[in-house]
Amino acid sequence: MHWSTERDMRLRHEAMAWLSARTHDGSLPLSGEDLADFRFDGERLALIDRQRGIRKPAVLDAALSIRTVYTPPGRPKPYDDLTGLDGRLRYKWRGTESQHPENVALRRAMDQRLPLIWFFGVGRGQHQPMYPVYLVAEEVEQHQFVVGYEPELASADPDSLVEAALRRYVLQETKVRLHQPVFRATVMRAYGTRCAVCSLRHGELLDAAHIVPDSTEGGIASVTNGLALCRIHHAAYDRRILGIRPDYVVQIRHDLLDEIDGPMLEHGLKSRHDQPLMVLPEIGRERPDRDLLAQTWEHFTAGGTG
């Protein structure tokens, strides 16, 4: 017997509140073992299906969560490929059969405007939860659903100026609410939650910095375009006070090397000049892309600040 609508919604809200508490409001990924700790009304209830991409508990009428598996570096990232020209994300059907029970479960979630949890793989056995997301439309010929962050963000007139503005807004929301948390979780895992420049371990003081900004054509949301940096070194890198050569050696802007100031300048910046990065990903293919570093290094040597 399926649960009532009220109990279904209570489950979804409690699951998302639990995820917020366990991930510090979405800033940390969770392992499969972590996710197994969730309980609802005193009973364990799996939030993710380790064998399938779509999770629909037998007691529910509609899907509870969807999952995108971890893709190693060097392969296209699913969340890049699934972003359409309208800035919205797509989630593929299970197979190509419209009436497959899992596709029906997704369709029911769409029709009932139910909030879902989207688990993105950011490492082997590591999942970054994104929530709430909604299925706002179905593209039958492409065997996929359109995913949005609000249930009312459904298909609209592509020639409308208002809708064009909405698409730009949705694209920005996609970067902030999906790409950035997934990017951060992937980079932090690769660097062991340590600053590449100084090895600081406090995650709350670390950022996932883009080597090439994500606003530019080459600014891909990939771990190879990322560096784990503490807030000081991130700001210094973005403002071209600190540069990183393609051979992973740190350089400090020459005018600062002659400057006399407090201990932060002396020990936090000047002492890192001509020193190799203290932390790099153990997996070689997750290390910073040397061509991307070269692009930023060119700006640094030219004295640019953008």
Side-chain angles (χ1 to χ4, degrees), residues 225-282:
N225 186 39
L227 292 160
L229 296 176
C230 69
R231 301 287 167 81
I232 291 294
H233 291 135
H234 186 185
Y237 188 66
D238 283 352
R239 300 306 299 171
R240 312 305 182 209
I241 292 171
L242 178 151
I244 300 174
R245 298 194 323 228
D247 61 355
Y248 304 148
V249 172
V250 175
Q251 298 282 279
I252 302 300
R253 207 172 66 202
H254 285 294
D255 59 310
L256 268 77
L257 293 176
D258 297 328
E259 186 175 321
I260 304 299
D261 200 353
M264 177 54 70
L265 178 63
E266 190 67 31
H267 302 292
L269 291 172
K270 290 169 65 175
S271 68
R272 299 307 306 145
H273 183 66
D274 272 340
Q275 299 299 309
L277 290 175
M278 295 187 71
V279 180
L280 283 168
E282 293 184 3

Side-chain angles (χ1 to χ4, degrees), residues 204-220:
E204 63 271 26
L205 298 177
L206 300 181
D207 294 330
H210 287 83
I211 297 172
V212 174
D214 61 349
S215 58
T216 64
E217 183 177 350
I220 55 174

Side-chain angles (χ1 to χ4, degrees), residues 110-124:
M110 177 183 69
D111 292 341
Q112 298 173 36
R113 295 189 172 189
L114 294 174
L116 297 168
I117 305 163
W118 196 343
F119 291 100
F120 274 81
V122 296
R124 299 194 185 281

